[in-house]
Amino acid sequence: MLRTPLCETLGIDVPVIGAPFGPFEEVEVAAAVCEAGGLGSVGTGGPLPALREQWTRLRQLTDRPFAVNHTMRPFNEEAFQATIEERPAAISFHMSVPADLVARAHEAGILWVQQVQDVREAEQAVRAEADVIVAQGGEAGGHGGEVSTMVLVPQVVDVAGGVPVVAAGGIADGRGLAAALALGAQGVVLGTRLLASAEMNISEEWKQRIVASDGRDAVKVTQHDRVLPPFSRPGCHSVPRSLRTPFLDELEEHPERVDPALAGPQLMQAAREGRIHAYLPMAGQSAGLIRDVRPTAEIVRDVVDTAERILHGEVA
Protein backbone atom coordinates (compact mmCIF):
# COMPACT_ATOMS: atom_id res chain seq x y z
CA MET A 1 0.00 0.00 0.00
CA LEU A 2 1.30 3.43 -0.99
CA ARG A 3 2.39 5.42 2.07
CA THR A 4 4.23 8.70 2.60
CA PRO A 5 5.35 10.60 5.72
CA LEU A 6 2.00 12.43 5.56
CA CYS A 7 0.38 9.19 6.66
CA GLU A 8 2.43 9.14 9.84
CA THR A 9 1.60 12.79 10.56
CA LEU A 10 -2.15 12.30 10.24
CA GLY A 11 -2.40 8.70 11.44
CA ILE A 12 -3.83 7.45 8.15
CA ASP A 13 -2.97 4.56 5.83
CA VAL A 14 -3.03 6.17 2.35
CA PRO A 15 -2.04 9.72 1.29
CA VAL A 16 -5.55 10.88 0.39
CA ILE A 17 -7.64 13.59 2.06
CA GLY A 18 -11.32 14.11 1.31
CA ALA A 19 -12.13 17.76 0.72
CA PRO A 20 -14.63 19.49 3.01
CA PHE A 21 -17.90 20.61 1.46
CA GLY A 22 -20.90 22.57 2.56
CA PRO A 23 -23.24 23.88 3.68
CA PHE A 24 -24.69 20.42 2.98
CA GLU A 25 -23.42 17.62 5.21
CA GLU A 26 -21.05 14.88 4.02
CA VAL A 27 -20.85 12.45 6.93
CA GLU A 28 -21.20 9.28 4.84
CA VAL A 29 -18.52 10.40 2.36
CA ALA A 30 -16.14 11.42 5.15
CA ALA A 31 -16.63 8.09 6.92
CA ALA A 32 -16.04 6.18 3.70
CA VAL A 33 -12.78 8.06 3.06
CA CYS A 34 -11.66 7.28 6.61
CA GLU A 35 -12.54 3.61 6.30
CA ALA A 36 -10.63 3.44 3.02
CA GLY A 37 -7.53 4.65 4.88
CA GLY A 38 -7.60 8.35 4.10
CA LEU A 39 -8.55 11.44 6.10
CA GLY A 40 -12.23 12.29 5.78
CA SER A 41 -13.44 15.84 6.32
CA VAL A 42 -16.67 17.55 7.29
CA GLY A 43 -17.57 21.22 6.95
CA THR A 44 -19.16 23.59 9.44
CA GLY A 45 -21.69 25.44 7.32
CA GLY A 46 -24.77 24.52 9.34
CA PRO A 47 -26.15 25.41 12.78
CA LEU A 48 -24.22 24.09 15.76
CA PRO A 49 -26.79 21.46 16.88
CA ALA A 50 -26.65 19.94 13.38
CA LEU A 51 -22.84 19.98 13.44
CA ARG A 52 -22.73 18.18 16.78
CA GLU A 53 -25.12 15.55 15.41
CA GLN A 54 -22.88 15.09 12.37
CA TRP A 55 -19.77 14.62 14.52
CA THR A 56 -21.59 12.05 16.67
CA ARG A 57 -22.77 10.15 13.62
CA LEU A 58 -19.31 10.25 12.04
CA ARG A 59 -17.74 8.76 15.18
CA GLN A 60 -20.39 6.02 15.07
CA LEU A 61 -19.47 5.19 11.48
CA THR A 62 -15.69 5.19 11.92
CA ASP A 63 -13.04 5.20 14.61
CA ARG A 64 -10.46 6.56 12.17
CA PRO A 65 -9.01 10.12 12.25
CA PHE A 66 -11.05 12.85 10.55
CA ALA A 67 -10.85 16.62 10.07
CA VAL A 68 -13.34 19.41 10.74
CA ASN A 69 -13.07 22.36 8.38
CA HIS A 70 -13.48 26.08 9.08
CA THR A 71 -13.21 29.11 6.83
CA MET A 72 -13.36 32.88 6.93
CA ARG A 73 -16.55 32.99 4.86
CA PRO A 74 -17.78 33.49 7.45
CA PHE A 75 -15.85 32.40 10.53
CA ASN A 76 -18.08 30.98 13.25
CA GLU A 77 -16.44 31.30 16.67
CA GLU A 78 -19.12 29.22 18.39
CA ALA A 79 -18.59 26.36 15.94
CA PHE A 80 -14.82 26.66 16.23
CA GLN A 81 -14.88 26.44 20.02
CA ALA A 82 -17.21 23.46 19.79
CA THR A 83 -14.73 21.83 17.41
CA ILE A 84 -11.93 22.42 19.90
CA GLU A 85 -14.03 20.70 22.56
CA GLU A 86 -14.86 17.84 20.15
CA ARG A 87 -11.13 17.25 19.57
CA PRO A 88 -11.05 15.76 16.08
CA ALA A 89 -7.69 14.56 14.82
CA ALA A 90 -7.31 17.71 12.73
CA ILE A 91 -8.82 21.08 11.92
CA SER A 92 -8.51 22.17 8.32
CA PHE A 93 -8.74 25.81 7.30
CA HIS A 94 -8.76 27.99 4.20
CA MET A 95 -9.36 31.60 3.17
CA SER A 96 -6.55 33.10 5.30
CA VAL A 97 -3.93 31.77 7.71
CA PRO A 98 -5.12 32.55 11.28
CA ALA A 99 -2.09 32.01 13.53
CA ASP A 100 -4.18 32.66 16.64
CA LEU A 101 -6.57 29.84 15.77
CA VAL A 102 -3.69 27.49 14.95
CA ALA A 103 -2.34 28.09 18.44
CA ARG A 104 -5.72 27.32 20.02
CA ALA A 105 -5.93 24.04 18.13
CA HIS A 106 -2.43 23.03 19.12
CA GLU A 107 -3.14 23.82 22.76
CA ALA A 108 -5.96 21.25 22.54
CA GLY A 109 -3.70 18.68 20.87
CA ILE A 110 -5.36 19.03 17.47
CA LEU A 111 -3.39 19.00 14.21
CA TRP A 112 -3.76 21.93 11.80
CA VAL A 113 -4.18 21.40 8.04
CA GLN A 114 -3.79 24.76 6.29
CA GLN A 115 -4.88 25.26 2.70
CA VAL A 116 -2.98 27.91 0.74
CA GLN A 117 -3.34 29.32 -2.74
CA ASP A 118 -0.01 31.10 -3.21
CA VAL A 119 3.54 31.16 -1.85
CA ARG A 120 2.82 34.11 0.44
CA GLU A 121 0.16 32.12 2.26
CA ALA A 122 2.45 29.09 2.39
CA GLU A 123 5.10 31.16 4.14
CA GLN A 124 2.47 32.37 6.61
CA ALA A 125 1.42 28.77 7.24
CA VAL A 126 5.00 27.78 8.03
CA ARG A 127 5.35 30.68 10.47
CA ALA A 128 2.02 29.73 12.08
CA GLU A 129 3.37 26.17 12.57
CA ALA A 130 0.73 24.40 10.51
CA ASP A 131 1.18 20.63 10.62
CA VAL A 132 0.17 20.07 6.99
CA ILE A 133 -0.02 22.54 4.08
CA VAL A 134 -2.47 21.96 1.24
CA ALA A 135 -1.29 23.68 -1.96
CA GLN A 136 -4.54 24.26 -3.82
CA GLY A 137 -4.23 25.12 -7.49
CA GLY A 138 -6.64 27.36 -9.33
CA GLU A 139 -8.22 24.39 -11.13
CA ALA A 140 -10.02 23.44 -7.93
CA GLY A 141 -13.73 23.79 -7.37
CA GLY A 142 -15.13 25.95 -4.61
CA HIS A 143 -13.00 28.79 -3.29
CA GLY A 144 -9.43 29.05 -4.53
CA GLY A 145 -6.72 31.12 -6.13
CA GLU A 146 -5.25 31.54 -9.59
CA VAL A 147 -1.90 29.69 -9.69
CA SER A 148 -2.13 26.24 -11.28
CA THR A 149 -1.47 23.12 -9.23
CA MET A 150 1.49 22.15 -11.42
CA VAL A 151 3.24 25.44 -10.60
CA LEU A 152 2.03 25.98 -7.03
CA VAL A 153 2.90 22.60 -5.51
CA PRO A 154 6.68 22.75 -6.09
CA GLN A 155 6.68 26.41 -5.02
CA VAL A 156 5.06 25.47 -1.72
CA VAL A 157 7.31 22.43 -1.28
CA ASP A 158 10.32 24.74 -1.64
CA VAL A 159 9.23 26.93 1.29
CA ALA A 160 7.57 24.29 3.49
CA GLY A 161 10.74 22.83 4.97
CA GLY A 162 9.77 19.72 6.89
CA VAL A 163 6.03 20.42 6.78
CA PRO A 164 4.20 17.86 4.60
CA VAL A 165 2.62 19.39 1.49
CA VAL A 166 -0.56 18.02 -0.08
CA ALA A 167 -1.70 18.86 -3.63
CA ALA A 168 -5.26 19.93 -4.43
CA GLY A 169 -6.94 21.09 -7.61
CA GLY A 170 -7.39 19.15 -10.84
CA ILE A 171 -6.85 15.74 -9.21
CA ALA A 172 -9.41 13.02 -9.86
CA ASP A 173 -7.47 9.79 -10.38
CA GLY A 174 -4.23 7.97 -9.70
CA ARG A 175 -2.40 9.91 -12.39
CA GLY A 176 -2.97 13.04 -10.35
CA LEU A 177 -1.61 11.42 -7.19
CA ALA A 178 1.48 10.14 -9.02
CA ALA A 179 2.08 13.58 -10.52
CA ALA A 180 1.67 15.26 -7.12
CA LEU A 181 4.26 12.96 -5.58
CA ALA A 182 6.64 13.71 -8.45
CA LEU A 183 6.23 17.43 -7.69
CA GLY A 184 7.27 16.87 -4.09
CA ALA A 185 3.88 16.61 -2.43
CA GLN A 186 3.14 13.80 0.01
CA GLY A 187 -0.51 13.30 -0.86
CA VAL A 188 -3.60 14.75 -2.52
CA VAL A 189 -7.00 16.19 -1.72
CA LEU A 190 -9.96 14.82 -3.68
CA GLY A 191 -12.77 17.32 -4.09
CA THR A 192 -14.85 17.28 -7.26
CA ARG A 193 -14.19 13.54 -7.68
CA LEU A 194 -15.96 12.95 -4.35
CA LEU A 195 -18.86 15.21 -5.27
CA ALA A 196 -19.59 12.58 -7.91
CA SER A 197 -19.59 9.72 -5.39
CA ALA A 198 -22.47 7.48 -4.45
CA GLU A 199 -22.51 8.65 -0.83
CA MET A 200 -22.38 12.41 -1.42
CA ASN A 201 -25.54 14.13 -0.20
CA ILE A 202 -26.19 16.33 -3.25
CA SER A 203 -28.69 16.04 -6.09
CA GLU A 204 -28.22 13.44 -8.80
CA GLU A 205 -28.54 16.27 -11.32
CA TRP A 206 -25.42 17.94 -9.90
CA LYS A 207 -23.48 14.67 -10.02
CA GLN A 208 -24.49 13.99 -13.60
CA ARG A 209 -23.51 17.49 -14.67
CA ILE A 210 -20.01 16.76 -13.32
CA VAL A 211 -19.90 13.46 -15.21
CA ALA A 212 -21.04 15.15 -18.43
CA SER A 213 -18.64 18.09 -18.18
CA ASP A 214 -15.38 18.31 -20.11
CA GLY A 215 -14.09 20.84 -17.59
CA ARG A 216 -14.63 23.96 -19.70
CA ASP A 217 -17.81 25.04 -17.96
CA ALA A 218 -16.18 24.96 -14.50
CA VAL A 219 -15.57 28.71 -14.34
CA LYS A 220 -14.47 31.29 -11.79
CA VAL A 221 -17.31 33.32 -10.24
CA THR A 222 -15.76 36.78 -10.36
CA GLN A 223 -18.89 38.53 -9.07
CA HIS A 224 -19.18 36.26 -6.01
CA ASP A 225 -19.04 39.15 -3.53
CA ARG A 226 -22.49 40.25 -4.70
CA VAL A 227 -24.21 37.07 -3.56
CA LEU A 228 -22.06 35.15 -1.07
CA PRO A 229 -21.44 35.98 2.63
CA PRO A 230 -18.61 38.43 3.36
CA PHE A 231 -15.22 37.35 4.64
CA SER A 232 -14.80 37.69 8.40
CA ARG A 233 -11.31 39.20 8.32
CA PRO A 234 -9.77 41.81 6.02
CA GLY A 235 -7.28 40.66 3.43
CA CYS A 236 -9.05 37.39 2.59
CA HIS A 237 -9.07 36.68 -1.12
CA SER A 238 -10.52 33.61 -2.73
CA VAL A 239 -12.69 33.20 -5.83
CA PRO A 240 -15.08 30.24 -6.13
CA ARG A 241 -15.30 27.99 -9.20
CA SER A 242 -18.65 26.59 -10.30
CA LEU A 243 -20.34 24.92 -13.22
CA ARG A 244 -22.29 27.35 -15.37
CA THR A 245 -26.00 27.97 -14.74
CA PRO A 246 -28.41 30.63 -16.02
CA PHE A 247 -28.05 32.39 -12.68
CA LEU A 248 -24.25 32.37 -12.90
CA ASP A 249 -24.30 33.63 -16.50
CA GLU A 250 -26.58 36.50 -15.49
CA LEU A 251 -24.38 37.30 -12.49
CA GLU A 252 -21.22 37.42 -14.61
CA GLU A 253 -22.60 39.11 -17.73
CA HIS A 254 -25.05 41.54 -16.13
CA PRO A 255 -24.15 41.90 -12.43
CA GLU A 256 -26.21 45.07 -12.18
CA ARG A 257 -29.33 42.97 -12.73
CA VAL A 258 -28.63 40.80 -9.67
CA ASP A 259 -29.79 42.42 -6.44
CA PRO A 260 -27.49 41.26 -3.61
CA ALA A 261 -30.20 41.91 -1.03
CA LEU A 262 -32.42 39.36 -2.77
CA ALA A 263 -29.95 36.96 -4.37
CA GLY A 264 -27.82 36.39 -1.25
CA PRO A 265 -30.68 35.13 0.95
CA GLN A 266 -32.06 33.23 -2.05
CA LEU A 267 -28.81 31.31 -2.39
CA MET A 268 -28.61 30.53 1.32
CA GLN A 269 -32.20 29.27 1.34
CA ALA A 270 -31.51 27.12 -1.72
CA ALA A 271 -28.45 25.65 0.03
CA ARG A 272 -30.50 24.75 3.09
CA GLU A 273 -33.12 23.10 0.89
CA GLY A 274 -30.62 21.15 -1.22
CA ARG A 275 -31.17 23.27 -4.35
CA ILE A 276 -27.89 25.19 -4.52
CA HIS A 277 -26.98 23.31 -7.72
CA ALA A 278 -29.60 25.34 -9.56
CA TYR A 279 -27.52 28.45 -8.89
CA LEU A 280 -23.89 27.67 -8.04
CA PRO A 281 -23.01 23.98 -8.42
CA MET A 282 -19.40 24.20 -7.26
CA ALA A 283 -16.99 21.97 -9.19
CA GLY A 284 -13.42 22.07 -10.42
CA GLN A 285 -11.88 21.53 -13.84
CA SER A 286 -11.19 17.91 -12.88
CA ALA A 287 -14.84 17.34 -13.79
CA GLY A 288 -13.40 16.70 -17.25
CA LEU A 289 -11.71 13.57 -15.88
CA ILE A 290 -14.77 12.10 -14.17
CA ARG A 291 -16.85 9.60 -16.12
CA ASP A 292 -19.08 7.99 -13.52
CA VAL A 293 -20.58 8.10 -10.04
CA ARG A 294 -18.90 5.48 -7.85
CA PRO A 295 -18.69 4.48 -4.18
CA THR A 296 -16.20 6.61 -2.25
CA ALA A 297 -14.07 3.72 -1.01
CA GLU A 298 -13.74 2.41 -4.56
CA ILE A 299 -12.61 5.85 -5.73
CA VAL A 300 -9.94 6.10 -3.03
CA ARG A 301 -8.65 2.58 -3.62
CA ASP A 302 -8.46 3.12 -7.37
CA VAL A 303 -6.58 6.42 -6.99
CA VAL A 304 -3.99 4.83 -4.73
CA ASP A 305 -3.64 1.60 -6.69
CA THR A 306 -3.26 3.38 -10.02
CA ALA A 307 -0.69 5.81 -8.62
CA GLU A 308 1.31 2.93 -7.19
CA ARG A 309 1.33 1.12 -10.53
CA ILE A 310 2.43 4.30 -12.33
CA LEU A 311 5.25 4.89 -9.86
CA HIS A 312 6.42 1.30 -10.42
CA GLY A 313 6.34 1.79 -14.18
CA GLU A 314 3.50 -0.68 -14.71
CA VAL A 315 1.14 1.68 -16.59
CA ALA A 316 1.68 4.68 -18.83
Side-chain angles (χ1 to χ4, degrees):
M1 187 176 294
L2 181 62
R3 290 178 62 84
T4 69
L6 173 75
C7 298
E8 302 301 325
T9 299
L10 295 176
I12 57 180
D13 295 328
V14 296
V16 174
I17 297 175
F21 302 100
F24 48 87
E25 61 97 349
E26 57 177 312
V27 171
E28 280 71 24
V29 174
V33 172
C34 293
E35 288 298 291
L39 183 74
S41 303
V42 288
T44 50
L48 185 55
L51 298 182
R52 292 187 188 279
E53 188 278 331
Q54 290 174 26
W55 300 337
T56 298
R57 187 152 50 93
L58 182 54
R59 291 191 186 279
Q60 292 171 343
L61 292 173
T62 182
D63 59 0
R64 306 286 296 174
F66 64 87
V68 175
N69 178 257
H70 290 267
T71 82
M72 281 296 169
R73 191 168 210 178
F75 177 68
N76 185 328
E77 167 59 33
E78 183 183 29
F80 187 81
Q81 181 56 39
T83 303
I84 293 290
E85 295 167 1
E86 181 71 18
R87 282 177 169 72
I91 290 175
S92 62
F93 204 95
H94 62 290
M95 303 183 211
S96 83
V97 184
D100 56 324
L101 301 182
V102 179
R104 286 172 60 185
H106 284 167
E107 289 172 2
I110 302 171
L111 297 171
W112 190 271
V113 179
Q114 178 66 52
Q115 181 168 289
V116 304
Q117 57 194 33
D118 56 37
V119 174
R120 177 188 60 85
E121 285 191 345
E123 292 170 341
Q124 292 175 354
V126 172
R127 290 194 295 270
E129 300 184 349
D131 300 287
V132 175
I133 300 176
V134 175
Q136 183 208 38
E139 303 95 319
H143 286 75
E146 299 176 354
V147 183
S148 73
T149 303
M150 183 68 74
V151 174
L152 182 61
V153 170
Q155 285 184 316
V156 174
V157 169
D158 287 346
V159 302
V163 181
V165 174
V166 177
I171 299 166
D173 56 31
R175 294 172 295 182
L177 173 54
L181 297 177
L183 293 173
Q186 295 185 19
V188 296
V189 172
L190 297 180
T192 303
R193 172 64 272 198
L194 294 183
L195 279 175
S197 67
E199 295 88 347
M200 181 58 72
N201 184 31
I202 61 173
S203 72
E204 189 63 25
E205 178 184 352
W206 189 349
K207 296 180 184 181
Q208 291 306 318
R209 281 209 60 194
I210 291 172
V211 170
S213 174
D214 66 1
R216 289 180 298 175
D217 63 342
V219 298
K220 286 290 194 179
V221 186
T222 60
Q223 299 293 331
H224 58 100
D225 284 337
R226 295 183 64 84
V227 296
L228 294 178
F231 294 105
S232 295
R233 293 189 182 182
C236 298
H237 63 290
S238 192
V239 180
R241 187 182 290 279
S242 170
L243 299 177
R244 288 189 178 279
T245 63
F247 172 82
L248 176 53
D249 289 341
E250 182 82 352
L251 178 65
E252 294 297 296
E253 296 169 13
H254 302 286
E256 74 283 355
R257 298 180 185 174
V258 179
D259 184 353
L262 297 176
Q266 182 182 37
L267 282 180
M268 294 304 100
Q269 181 65 24
R272 288 190 290 270
E273 296 175 354
R275 298 183 293 106
I276 191 64
H277 63 282
Y279 301 92
L280 291 177
M282 300 293 188
Q285 291 177 331
S286 65
L289 300 171
I290 298 168
R291 297 289 175 263
D292 52 21
V293 175
R294 301 164 62 190
T296 297
E298 184 178 312
I299 292 170
V300 173
R301 286 195 300 268
D302 184 63
V303 166
V304 175
D305 291 346
T306 300
E308 193 164 21
R309 291 198 303 272
I310 291 172
L311 294 171
H312 288 143
E314 298 176 14
V315 295

